[in-house]
Amino acid sequence: MPVKCCFYRSPQTESMAWSESMDTLLANQAGLDAFRTFLKSEFSEENVEFWLACEDFKKTENAEKLASKAKMIYSEFIVADAPKEINIDFSTRDLISKNIAEPNLKCFDEAQKLIYSLMAKDSFPRFLKSEIYKKLVNSQQVGNHRRWLPFL
């Protein structure tokens, strides 16, 4: 039987690994925090907040909680003039509006895919070029050099 080996990333290489994919970034709490900070600076944090709300929603097992979470997501992100309204097309918004009366675990899937795609194609590349990301990578690289070269 083959031995499974896991790859450990040091904190110094962690932020550089976020550039591999948006999934890598979103799966890491520090990466997610940095991405959120960046999105706030661009006034578009509603996208990642919606994506996270959908991830949490899909883990809901209780039918009552499912209904209340669906209504919260709908009123917070989907309905016209919502406090954190996301940018989705009319047909997706309309489909959610029709299904919200009897929500299921997949009722936000299409909108979540659209928002993920928008972040992956637009926000994520800008994040990787941002000063927030560059400073984080540089500070971790300097910290790594100091550990090996204490005279720096």
Side-chain angles (χ1 to χ4, degrees):
M1 182 150 101
V3 176
K4 288 186 179 180
C5 180
C6 56
F7 178 69
Y8 170 76
R9 290 186 208 267
S10 71
Q12 287 74 27
T13 60
E14 194 171 73
S15 62
M16 289 184 287
W18 301 338
S19 66
E20 293 171 6
S21 74
M22 198 166 76
D23 287 333
T24 303
L25 175 75
L26 295 174
N28 179 284
Q29 189 58 54
L32 179 58
D33 292 344
F35 191 51
R36 285 177 97 159
T37 300
F38 169 74
L39 290 175
K40 282 180 185 177
S41 75
E42 293 208 329
F43 305 101
S44 61
E45 71 268 26
E46 71 277 357
N47 291 333
V48 75
E49 288 179 15
F50 171 73
W51 186 85
L52 289 167
C54 290
E55 288 298 292
D56 177 64
F57 177 77
K58 290 190 278 189
K59 295 174 189 166
T60 307
E61 295 176 8
N62 178 304
E64 277 183 36
K65 284 184 182 179
L66 189 76
S68 76
K69 283 183 179 183
K71 287 177 183 159
M72 185 281 301
I73 291 171
Y74 182 76
S75 64
E76 189 89 6
F77 300 101
I78 306 296
V79 71
D81 298 321
K84 298 177 183 179
E85 185 177 359
I86 55 169
N87 186 11
I88 55 174
D89 59 88
F90 173 79
S91 61
T92 304
R93 189 178 312 274
D94 191 47
L95 180 64
I96 294 169
S97 297
K98 289 175 181 168
N99 294 333
I100 200 70
E102 293 181 32
N104 62 53
L105 292 174
K106 297 184 179 285
C107 66
F108 298 109
D109 281 4
E110 196 58 37
Q112 187 182 19
K113 286 177 195 165
L114 289 170
I115 293 302
Y116 181 92
S117 178
L118 177 69
M119 290 191 301
K121 290 176 185 170
D122 185 44
S123 305
F124 181 63
R126 283 199 324 274
F127 168 71
L128 296 177
K129 294 175 186 171
S130 74
E131 287 303 310
I132 292 170
Y133 179 69
K134 288 176 186 175
K135 284 179 183 176
L136 194 57
V137 169
N138 287 338
S139 71
Q140 289 182 348
Q141 285 176 339
V142 167
N144 193 30
H145 288 290
R146 282 197 182 126
R147 192 163 26 139
W148 294 107
L149 303 170
F151 51 85
L152 286 179

